[in-house]
Amino acid sequence: MSEALLAALTVFVLAILCGFAVISKVPATLHTPLMSGANSIHGIVLVGSMVIAASAHDPLSQILSFVAVAFATMNVVGGYVVTDRMLQMFRRKPAAAPAEKAEGKG
Amino acid sequence: MSEALLAALTVFVLAILCGFAVISKVPATLHTPLMSGANSIHGIVLVGSMVIAASAHDPLSQILSFVAVAFATMNVVGGYVVTDRMLQMFRRKPAAAPAEKAEGKG
Amino acid sequence: MDSLDIVVRLAWLVGAAGFVIGLMRMNSPATARNGNLLSAAGMAIAIGGTAVLLAARGDAGVTAWIIILAGIALGGGLGLYTARTVKMTAMPQLVSLFNAVGGGAAALIAIDDYIRLASAQTLLPNSIPLEVSVPTVLDIVIGGITFTGSLIASGKLMGVIPGKPIKVPGGQLVTVALAAVVAVAAIYLWLGNVSVPILFVIIAASLTFGVTMVLPIGGADMPVVISLLNSFTGTAVAMAGFVLGNDVLIIAGALVGASGAILTKLMADAMNRSVINIMIGGFGGGEGTVAAGGPEGGSVRSLGVDDAAIQLAYAQNVIIVPGYGLAVAQAQHAVRELADLLEQRGVNVSYAIHPVAGRMPGHMNVLLAEANVPYPQLREMDDINPEFERADVALVVGANDVTNPAARRAGTPVSGMPILDVDHARSIIVIKRSMGRGYAGIDNELYVNPKTGMLFADAKQGLADLVAAVKAL
Amino acid sequence: MDSLDIVVRLAWLVGAAGFVIGLMRMNSPATARNGNLLSAAGMAIAIGGTAVLLAARGDAGVTAWIIILAGIALGGGLGLYTARTVKMTAMPQLVSLFNAVGGGAAALIAIDDYIRLASAQTLLPNSIPLEVSVPTVLDIVIGGITFTGSLIASGKLMGVIPGKPIKVPGGQLVTVALAAVVAVAAIYLWLGNVSVPILFVIIAASLTFGVTMVLPIGGADMPVVISLLNSFTGTAVAMAGFVLGNDVLIIAGALVGASGAILTKLMADAMNRSVINIMIGGFGGGEGTVAAGGPEGGSVRSLGVDDAAIQLAYAQNVIIVPGYGLAVAQAQHAVRELADLLEQRGVNVSYAIHPVAGRMPGHMNVLLAEANVPYPQLREMDDINPEFERADVALVVGANDVTNPAARRAGTPVSGMPILDVDHARSIIVIKRSMGRGYAGIDNELYVNPKTGMLFADAKQGLADLVAAVKAL
Ligand SMILES: NC(=O)c1ccc[n+]([C@@H]2O[C@H](COP(=O)([O-])OP(=O)(O)OC[C@H]3O[C@@H](n4cnc5c(N)ncnc54)[C@H](OP(=O)(O)O)[C@@H]3O)[C@@H](O)[C@H]2O)c1
Ligand SMILES: NC(=O)c1ccc[n+]([C@@H]2O[C@H](COP(=O)([O-])OP(=O)(O)OC[C@H]3O[C@@H](n4cnc5c(N)ncnc54)[C@H](OP(=O)(O)O)[C@@H]3O)[C@@H](O)[C@H]2O)c1
């Protein structure tokens, strides 16, 4: 097991723990937006797709990486936009005392 | 900036984020135990103290590392024991419906 | 490691931090939107950094850049267009679609990487270390399953594929067989053998598995399934990170993998189902709107529009309880119109939102918000339940299970599900088309409650009539 | 990196994971204890791994082992003894003490490391890279401040040092001067100069800073201060991790640093103070039990023990509201006795626990639990407030600010603090020694409420009398 792999593993474990901790008692209202938000995040795979595309020389690789890039970008762009649309829902009236209350619950 | 430092930094940042995420809306009842629990965790400095003690050759180093080890151990042992004592408080009657309720709040 | 490397790696780290903090802030309505933007910013930084790196390194030729930019243009365009144009209620299927492509991309990375290694190594055994072959296979398997699984899920919600559970010929057997194939092939590769054909066996098996896994699950359970597959994609991406030795992929992937898992559980809990029980298909999918006679022991009182209008118009407090029927009938604007009308008359109106009313978590909020119902009027269940006692009228629109007092007793399909205490209101008006049952497929004792008057109509039509009647008063 | 290294590093990782999961589980009463044990297990694994590593490497000589074992024996003994014997109510000062030694240890590591490097390098400039000198200095500064700061905090709570704010001669000036010294010295070292004397200047300055920082803060604010210093120690430990290049120190340290910071904020919020405002000393520490006449506009009705006993004995629901006075009078057992007696008579009794009743968060729970009051009877504020309406008697024992209706109005020192709705009870009995004020130093309108009867007595005595009187009925 190489030094690098061990480091990667450490990062992996910590990120998992972050993931567990980060979702606390969420109001059900937010389940779908949260899912959608998390969905956009794994669009980070675009970074990987770009990397392989950069070093793609034979046609097969080029096709694969092209598809990968397109897929990943769709995930990123679409994901964030649709999440934002869902969340625009939560805008509220200017002076809204009860809203604060509702937030408290959130 | 060395590869190693960068890796350490990554781990540092992730751990901080974990720390932020891990404390959610805690009932005030648990503030003191939580503080005490976190306090025991930084007793991990014992690991470091042992490491320096192992390579301490001149008297000064030996004294410093001895004190460090003693301090750190006190933090670890005392910390966990006192936290556990605080938390024993939360044991409750066998059949306690309301307790469940209270937990719900927690 | 030169300074450019460092800068880019730091950019990736910043991006990752953005994701975590973003998710944190998405835990509460007040900060959710800002959290999403934060996460998007992190993404931009991470991708920008990568672009800079590739450009500066110059190891990306012209073709490579064409590929990248074309891919980004195509994918970005599709993503933007669909996301902009989709109807509120169709969002879950779109999310599932995005999830599919994400998983697909992750799998493609591993496939490409493996093929290159294989050809470079000219197939010498043991030429690919476990450190690579393990994440490669995992990435392909998980990514493959997610790809087809999410497509099916999406298809079901779109109605392209029938929502009701579809029994796969062979059923369990097929699933087991596929799993076995994958396992054997994986071990074969991990033992050090290098073989592209075997890799394709794995790919094929995984893709099929995704299909057979999701087909048998009912449409109503799709939100949970999508969330689960979402968590899968995260894991696949993390694996891709191991393959490429890229921290940001590992962090973001693991983050989504873990948080997605928790979220899936929360969702399942909210409709008191267990994830397992959903995956092997429980009572899910029974969209039973079977017309049924009034529940035994109890007569149903049907109510005229005008009586209903009068009750509402002269009430102090009205609580509106929207349900799946409101969504089906697309009656969100109608209900808002009625509410506004009542408020003008000094009635104070609020909406009781049950966490699982409708067919996806947050379904009601999304609908009502689309009709610009001010957020403060939407009240979470725990928040509003105590207030039913003080409500003169509870107006139930196309909701059924979430109001069924039977949930308080053991032994019914809804037992244990927290419900809205509609029956505590002084009087109850229920708008639905018939005595038809809801998702859980059981009769609702609320409807035979003497305090209850049934206004049999399609939600939209019924509400329109009420508006007219109230105006006429 | 040989396999032993790998195993130990994995052990450290497991340990770290234990800490995180442990903290997570400590977020709710149900799982808190188990969480602490989990965290302890992680610690054991991490330390065990280290011991194995040192032993196997054999680079630790006999003396080294003697040092280590002696240190562990001594520290462990002290820690165990004090933790076992401390009184419940004295726990915060003990935690502060443990925090002090933790910070001290972290600082010592950096000091030792620096001296070694310095002597090895025979003081050549630039011989110590920034990567080392930066975390070294930070570790020493933060660790030093924490060490003395926590000792002072502990001393104040023990009463060794007067709890009331102590103005440091020179005040702000001294603080600023010290900060300046540290800054200059730090920069000097970071510029590449190697100098042990300068290091000691930094040490001295930091230690002094810790003292001058905490002395001026009132005893009542110590819980917050301790929590803050706790977060400091975490950061110091993380820095030590950078110095030694040890991941587990970095992870655990950063974890505590961050979570400690959040916790500090939560604590401060709970007594609606801001952390800043506490650190520069707000109204903290005014333990004003100044005897004062009844608040203007409103006469005080004083009540006899027997009348009080009758009210209690024949009530349906009694809610007991404990406060700081209960703690001072050590009346937790007396109050439990009374409660049991009433329960035997069929009265149902519960305790309304205000988050900041007493002088430390959770003070009341700790006290009452010591007297074995069953946890279910302890009710969080939000949980019980609605029930005061249904309470026949609210028995207020040595609580003041947390019951003061003035908090609902703006412009008072307690404004905005959530309070217990004691005034909603049908009748109110208050046990305290006089009309003396509470922590916030203001009069309590509850006491002039016509429904309120004052039973002037020391809490313990008063309760004892009530028990006797109820028995006599
Ligand atoms: N929210 C989620 O995430 C989710 C996911 C999966 C399952 N579920 C389940 O779905 C159920 C949700 O409860 P619910 O009360 O919202 O809905 P429901 O129990 O499914 O009942 C919906 C009712 O609406 C009526 N309806 C249908 N079309 C209508 C129309 N055009 N106009 C007026 N009424 C109409 C139907 O009665 P008629 O035929 O008589 O009109 C039906 O009884 C729960 O059992 C929940 O567990 C929720
Ligand atoms: N919990 C925390 O973490 C924390 C930390 C810092 C500050 N605080 C503040 O402390 C206050 C807590 O409120 P509280 O209502 O619990 O206490 P309080 O407002 O401080 O009032 C305590 C009352 O107890 C009475 N008392 C003192 N000794 C007594 C004895 N031996 N027997 C009977 N009564 C006695 C005193 O009145 P007499 O002199 O007339 O007897 C005093 O008015 C809040 O303002 C809170 O913000 C809390």
Side-chain angles (χ1 to χ4, degrees), chain B residues 22 29 32 61 80 85 89 101, chain D residues 27 39 88 112 361 380 383:
Chain B
V22 88
T29 326
T32 317
S61 276
Y80 281 111
R85 272 188 68 194
M89 305 295 174
K101 193 148 164 309
Chain D
N27 272 293
S39 157
M88 287 298 163
D112 177 65
E380 295 272 337
D383 185 16

Side-chain angles (χ1 to χ4, degrees), chain D residues 140-150 206-207 209-210 213 229 232:
Chain D
I140 294 173
V141 173
I142 305 172
I145 293 178
T146 318
F147 182 65
T148 48
S150 304
S206 311
L207 292 174
F209 190 95
M213 183 177 82
L229 291 170
F232 280 13

Side-chain angles (χ1 to χ4, degrees), chain D residues 52-63:
Chain D
V52 171
L53 185 67
L54 296 183
R57 285 271 167 284
D59 46 15
V62 178
T63 13

Side-chain angles (χ1 to χ4, degrees), chain B residues 11-86:
Chain B
V11 166
F12 182 62
V13 171
L14 280 175
I16 288 182
L17 294 170
C18 267
F20 284 144
V22 88
I23 304 286
S24 55
K25 303 171 210 72
V26 199
T29 326
L30 281 174
H31 287 170
T32 317
L34 251 179
M35 172 172 83
S36 180
N39 170 67
S40 347
I41 290 176
H42 58 54
I44 190 69
V45 69
L46 174 54
V47 169
S49 313
M50 287 167 73
V51 171
I52 61 166
S55 55
H57 297 307
D58 58 301
L60 177 59
S61 276
Q62 291 175 330
I63 296 171
L64 290 181
S65 49
F66 171 74
V67 179
V69 172
F71 274 6
T73 316
M74 185 165 172
N75 183 344
V76 173
V77 177
Y80 281 111
V81 174
V82 85
T83 311
D84 190 60
R85 272 188 68 194
M86 289 185 194

